[in-house]
Amino acid sequence: MGMEQQGNEEADQGVAQEATVQPENEKEPESLDDMARKALECPCVADLREGPCGKQFSEAFVCYFKSTAEEKGSDCIEPYLAMQACMEATPELFAKHDPDDGSDPNVGERPPSRRRRSKTPASKQV
């Protein structure tokens, strides 16, 4: 191998290395672990996360979030069973709800009605 060819190979390697280095202002994509952790920090699941079954809920939640199974979550049976067992052991906190028995306090409630605005400006209405 000649000196010129060896120099070209080294230059090519340097270019390849530069191409793989990310600029400082570009962030690497978040890992699934980081995304799952952030999702678990959502206030919408705070009661479950901090309750008596928080560990089991968190494990099932993260498992489902990271699931790559064709049927999402089908690889998370064990953490879900553990969460279910915990919830059944504390029925006073996780009461069963039967939507057919009419006991849902939210059934029948309607959000405040919104008045539909006429497309005709008020000054032009007769």
Side-chain angles (χ1 to χ4, degrees):
M1 187 181 302
M3 291 291 275
E4 188 175 308
Q5 188 177 5
Q6 185 178 2
N8 286 340
E9 286 179 10
E10 288 175 3
D12 289 344
Q13 288 176 352
V15 170
Q17 287 176 343
E18 286 179 30
T20 59
V21 175
Q22 288 185 320
E24 289 182 31
N25 60 349
E26 285 186 31
K27 294 182 181 178
E28 289 187 34
E30 281 188 295
S31 70
L32 273 178
D33 287 327
D34 289 340
M35 292 186 334
R37 181 184 46 78
K38 283 183 180 179
L40 196 54
E41 291 172 0
C42 177
C44 60
V45 295
D47 289 344
L48 290 167
R49 184 185 65 239
E50 296 167 3
C53 300
K55 179 181 181 227
Q56 295 85 343
F57 168 76
S58 296
E59 288 174 359
F61 182 91
V62 169
C63 182
Y64 182 83
F65 191 90
K66 293 170 52 176
S67 175
T68 57
E70 188 171 322
E71 186 176 331
K72 184 134 177 108
S74 63
D75 51 345
C76 300
I77 302 298
E78 292 302 317
Y80 273 93
L81 289 175
M83 180 179 70
Q84 181 181 16
C86 180
M87 289 178 167
E88 288 175 348
T90 54
E92 66 281 0
L93 297 176
F94 301 101
K96 290 184 180 180
H97 168 68
D98 181 0
D100 295 330
D101 73 359
S103 66
D104 186 348
N106 296 316
V107 171
E109 285 187 22
R110 296 180 187 248
S113 64
R114 294 184 184 178
R115 299 179 102 182
R116 294 186 113 182
R117 292 186 177 182
S118 172
K119 293 183 180 181
T120 309
S123 62
K124 292 189 177 186
Q125 290 180 350
V126 179

